[in-house]
Amino acid sequence: MPAVPEVDATAVLVGFARALRAAGVAAGPDRVQTFLGALELLGSEVRSDVYWAGRLTLCGSQDDLERYDRVFAAYFAQHPHPGERARPAPAPKPVPRPVAAQAGTSPERDEEDAVAQPAAALASSAEVLRHRDMAELNAAERAQLRRLLAAFSLSGEPRRTPRLRPARRGGVDPRRTVRELLHRGGEPARLRYRAPATKPRRVVLLLDVSGSMDPYADALLRFAHAAAHGSSSRTPTEVFTIGTRLTRVTREMTHRDPDAALAAVASAVPDWSGGTRLGEMLRGFLDRWGQRGTARGAVVVVLSDGWERGDPALLAAQMRRLHRLAHRVVWANPRKARPGYEPLAAGMAAALPSVDAFVEGHSLGALERLAAVVRGASDA
Amino acid sequence: MTDGPGELRARLEKTGYLVDDGLAIACFLALKLHRPIFCEGDAGTGKTALASALAQVQGAPLIRLQCYEGIDASQALYDWDFPRQLLHLRAAEAVGVTDAGRLESELYSRRFLIARPLLQALETQPSVLLVDEVDRADDEFEAFLLELLSEYSVTVPELGTLRAASPPVVVLTSNRTREVHDALKRRCLYHWFDHPGFERELAIVRRRQPQVTERLAAQVTAVVQTLRTQDLLKPPGVAETIDWAEALDALGATELDAELAVATLGSVLKYREDADRARSLDLSAILAARGA
């Protein structure tokens, strides 16, 4: 490509970074700075050099690469020469979002306005609400449930870490002991001790968002949001949605405001209310995340009714695999509380042998119980 | 120093490490911009090997820090040599040193500081620092690494700031067992390692195991490439391909047949389920297709 005046080239490249940001790549100003520096260093306008310089400096994860390739192709199709006379950066192509994406939360939106309950009434009715099936609530009760869910916290049972912390008893801590000795000119001093620190296990939530879970999806997502925030920042709770596709929504859940978080999740999850292929989803999770470490030693919670459209044998095999990786596998099933419930759904029956604790998941009380089980209480 | 990605690539290839365009540019930029390279990708795709190749190219020692959960500054950066400090104190007392101030400054001098990998890398010029599997360390360690990598200096409270005269070349690797903090990644050039295509993988095997016959190398590579397209729990990496070629060569094989392949699958596949799956494949057909 021909040599070009630098100013225009910069404008085009900055426009490219802007298009990337619009597509969801966190290409902040400092990255753009590095990008421009890298190109200057390469002294080249060759397409492949621009491509690599951008990819190396603007991307930060494997997920970014796919978006990067797409935006790069689209943007430089319109800007064949990086130094072409200033044309305003085109409106970046938005990430395609299936129309169905909004379906999960939008029905709830109308109900939100209907609510204006005096605070005094809240406390007394909370106890009643606690054991009601979340699928059978009216608009006002739903709104109250949301407020109650917001106060939730979920953390894994504690485990010992290799990191040693000062303690009142344990092994002698040579570092601190000798430091004190030196302080006193070598005179014998009090021994200092250290002991392994503890840390909560990582919690992984696998949330079924298929059609059969619709009545519970909103509440369970809010539960997941609260869980992701209530846990300590050192072991963040990972949240995935499963349906016809596996989607990691941990990042979307980082919005502090539950409504903003749920809106972000809604646009990230492409498969609301579809069918469920639990076995395949689970395999996707284990291949891409679980086996690498996300599930290792973690408390994995599957929130699903176990309604499997795929092959139950595959689900059984993947559950065995999950069980070998995870510290504990908890399955919360909102349908379990129904009178006369038997785990007859093929998926549920296939999964049960690899589940350490099988709990209910239909009400606030059940979710509290679930949180206790995750923390390490003897299982239900 | 090198003048461009092209030359750097040629020099890397001389060490037996074959790079593609993107990685050549990444290495070039890392050297010129003094930025760490953040390497992510499946196990066995050559992330760690990159660091040793860069060290050879630079003619610099490779200093390696293996991360693990709970690693802290005293294991990664520096520690005081307490026994020797005490000994020194006793010795000073024995000869009747009374100047407490001098004694103290002696006790906390560079002499009694044990440099761990990160400090070693700052003090050795030139050097290549490999921070391996940074995703295994915890958040605190990441924050601490961030500080080190942005300034290439370390503050020891008793001594002051130790700064690298010229920053080391830094390679960080991650297997993505968890998300590494964005602040750390922002300091780095990000490179994703994919499995190489047939031609490049064959070239790598030939380079690393020159004694293996051309035919055997091609067959091994072809089978591994096919295995990667199967739905395996752990798709084999380039490292496994090289291992397999080496293992077959050690057995005196000059070419691969289905029987031998099945007998030596353990070099490539590390899960029983995967091995079962591979055995159910028609290996002779794959071999025949690349028979050459």
Side-chain angles (χ1 to χ4, degrees):
Chain A
M1 283 174 210
V4 286
E6 201 183 315
V7 180
D8 288 346
T10 306
V12 170
L13 295 171
V14 170
F16 171 54
R18 197 178 325 148
L20 267 181
R21 276 199 296 274
V25 178
D30 48 348
R31 290 197 182 203
V32 177
Q33 202 73 45
T34 317
F35 174 42
L36 297 176
L39 272 179
E40 198 177 326
L41 197 62
L42 288 168
S44 153
E45 304 268 320
V46 179
R47 195 179 164 90
S48 73
D49 284 354
V50 176
Y51 171 83
W52 279 110
R55 191 175 136 157
L56 290 162
T57 52
L58 299 173
C59 294
S61 75
Q62 191 192 11
D63 299 335
D64 286 350
L65 299 183
E66 188 192 318
R67 297 187 192 124
Y68 180 84
D69 286 351
R70 197 175 60 234
V71 174
F72 187 87
Y75 186 84
F76 286 104
Q78 292 177 8
H79 296 78
H81 308 289
E84 197 184 358
R85 199 112 267 294
R87 224 199 297 167
K93 273 202 164 158
V95 188
R97 280 169 187 162
V99 183
Q102 304 300 332
T105 43
S106 54
E108 321 288 4
R109 292 273 172 270
D110 318 333
E111 294 165 13
E112 237 166 24
D113 312 327
V115 183
Q117 212 169 12
L122 276 177
S124 56
S125 58
E127 198 48 44
V128 182
L129 191 63
R130 169 158 293 153
H131 301 290
R132 291 272 304 276
D133 193 315
M134 293 185 293
E136 292 157 6
L137 302 181
N138 63 31
E141 288 165 337
R142 238 160 222 283
Q144 189 187 349
L145 176 72
R146 282 181 194 171
R147 280 191 286 275
L148 291 171
L149 278 174
F152 231 85
S153 82
L154 187 68
S155 60
E157 59 190 281
R159 64 174 185 82
R160 279 166 65 143
T161 68
R163 193 167 276 239
L164 297 166
R165 296 242 176 263
R168 296 181 68 94
R169 58 188 68 198
V172 173
D173 183 347
R175 206 183 162 94
R176 289 197 311 138
T177 303
V178 179
R179 188 167 287 256
E180 187 155 312
L181 272 171
L182 289 173
H183 204 71
R184 295 165 184 238
E187 290 307 311
R190 207 153 60 88
L191 286 177
R192 301 285 182 162
Y193 299 97
R194 63 186 183 184
T198 62
K199 184 173 165 177
R201 287 182 184 274
R202 188 200 333 269
V203 180
V204 180
L205 293 178
L206 300 174
L207 204 59
D208 187 345
V209 294
S210 62
S212 58
M213 289 286 286
D214 257 358
Y216 300 98
D218 181 68
L220 292 183
L221 275 169
R222 282 169 193 275
F223 168 69
H225 176 264
H229 282 266
S231 64
S232 86
S233 62
R234 288 176 58 208
T235 42
T237 298
E238 289 278 348
V239 187
F240 295 82
T241 61
I242 51 180
T244 51
R245 284 180 51 173
L246 172 80
T247 316
R248 179 172 183 260
V249 293
T250 307
R251 196 177 277 247
E252 281 74 13
M253 286 288 183
T254 53
H255 286 281
R256 193 152 280 287
D257 173 27
D259 291 314
L262 257 63
V265 170
S267 54
V269 175
D271 56 343
W272 290 101
S273 311
T276 342
R277 301 195 313 270
L278 287 174
E280 236 168 281
M281 294 307 104
L282 208 51
R283 181 169 66 191
F285 165 72
L286 290 169
D287 283 351
R288 180 135 186 238
W289 303 93
Q291 191 174 313
R292 288 216 174 94
T294 308
R296 275 184 205 280
V299 180
V300 180
V301 182
V302 185
L303 287 148
S304 167
D305 55 5
W307 189 254
E308 169 70 315
R309 295 244 178 112
D311 179 8
L314 177 66
L315 177 61
Q318 296 306 317
M319 282 302 290
R320 281 198 295 276
R321 203 176 146 202
L322 176 63
H323 196 232
R324 288 201 296 267
L325 280 170
H327 173 69
R328 242 141 64 91
V329 179
V330 181
W331 191 301
N333 187 338
R335 313 260 171 215
K336 193 190 175 203
R338 299 274 165 95
Y341 173 85
E342 292 282 338
L344 292 179
M348 201 63 248
L352 270 185
S354 310
V355 168
D356 294 302
F358 184 43
V359 299
E360 299 169 356
H362 66 295
S363 68
L364 194 63
L367 291 177
E368 282 171 349
R369 173 90 192 113
L370 169 64
V373 169
V374 168
R375 262 197 307 275
S378 64
D379 53 35
Chain B
M1 272 301 274
T2 44
D3 297 322
E7 274 119 284
L8 182 60
R9 180 179 183 160
R11 294 179 56 182
L12 278 167
E13 294 190 352
K14 241 179 252 164
T15 71
Y17 189 86
L18 306 188
V19 295
D20 56 17
D21 284 347
L23 190 52
I25 294 179
C27 294
F28 173 73
L29 291 177
L31 295 182
K32 290 283 183 187
L33 297 173
H34 301 304
R35 291 252 172 171
I37 313 181
F38 191 94
C39 304
E40 242 177 16
D42 286 338
T45 41
K47 302 187 293 291
T48 303
L50 172 67
S52 52
L54 276 174
Q56 281 186 53
V57 163
Q58 296 285 93
L62 174 67
I63 297 168
R64 177 178 174 150
L65 176 69
Q66 170 67 51
C67 296
Y68 51 89
E69 206 192 328
I71 190 170
D72 63 25
S74 68
Q75 291 142 348
L77 193 53
Y78 69 85
D79 207 354
W80 289 104
D81 191 343
F82 295 117
R84 281 191 57 212
Q85 277 177 319
L86 267 186
L87 216 57
H88 181 74
L89 192 66
R90 289 296 183 206
E93 262 176 12
V95 297
V97 175
T98 47
D99 186 350
R102 210 192 88 202
L103 196 58
E104 171 124 17
S105 70
E106 270 176 15
L107 281 175
Y108 288 104
S109 64
R110 183 64 190 80
R111 205 175 136 196
F112 295 106
L113 196 70
I114 307 170
R116 305 282 192 214
L118 293 179
L119 184 55
Q120 278 171 29
L122 293 187
E123 289 188 325
T124 313
Q125 265 122 38
S127 67
V128 174
L129 171 66
L130 167 65
V131 182
D132 214 6
E133 303 190 321
V134 67
D135 52 330
R136 287 200 188 198
D138 35 31
D139 291 358
E140 292 96 327
F141 185 72
E142 246 172 61
F144 151 82
L145 207 57
L146 179 68
E147 186 190 344
L148 181 98
L149 293 181
S150 41
E151 302 291 330
Y152 293 110
S153 67
V154 162
T155 304
V156 181
E158 297 87 350
L159 276 185
T161 302
L162 306 171
R163 192 176 302 276
S166 75
V169 179
V170 184
V171 176
L172 295 117
T173 76
S174 155
N175 288 329
R176 302 218 319 159
T177 62
R178 75 190 171 86
E179 208 69 61
V180 171
H181 203 280
D182 204 47
L184 180 60
K185 284 179 165 182
R186 225 163 44 213
R187 280 291 312 155
C188 307
L189 300 165
Y190 177 81
H191 190 74
W192 174 261
F193 282 67
D194 261 327
H195 293 294
F198 176 77
E199 298 299 334
R200 216 160 73 76
E201 182 159 22
L202 177 57
I204 293 170
V205 174
R206 296 282 291 153
R207 221 33 114 74
R208 295 290 299 274
Q209 301 291 338
Q211 78 289 3
V212 173
T213 63
E214 167 101 52
R215 186 177 161 81
L216 181 60
Q219 287 176 320
V220 164
T221 310
V223 174
V224 170
Q225 294 260 334
T226 313
L227 287 176
R228 262 180 222 140
T229 64
Q230 303 298 310
D231 218 354
L232 300 181
L233 292 180
K234 167 73 183 75
V238 183
E240 275 85 21
T241 320
I242 296 170
D243 284 353
W244 199 16
E246 192 180 12
L248 289 165
D249 185 62
L251 290 172
T254 53
E255 64 176 289
L256 191 60
D257 56 44
E259 201 183 325
L260 189 58
V262 167
T264 50
L265 267 182
S267 307
V268 198
L269 300 177
K270 312 292 163 105
Y271 283 86
R272 190 176 59 86
E273 290 90 335
D274 288 354
D276 287 348
R277 184 154 198 133
R279 271 191 281 272
S280 72
L281 293 173
D282 189 358
L283 287 173
S284 11
I286 300 164
L287 291 168
R290 283 278 180 189

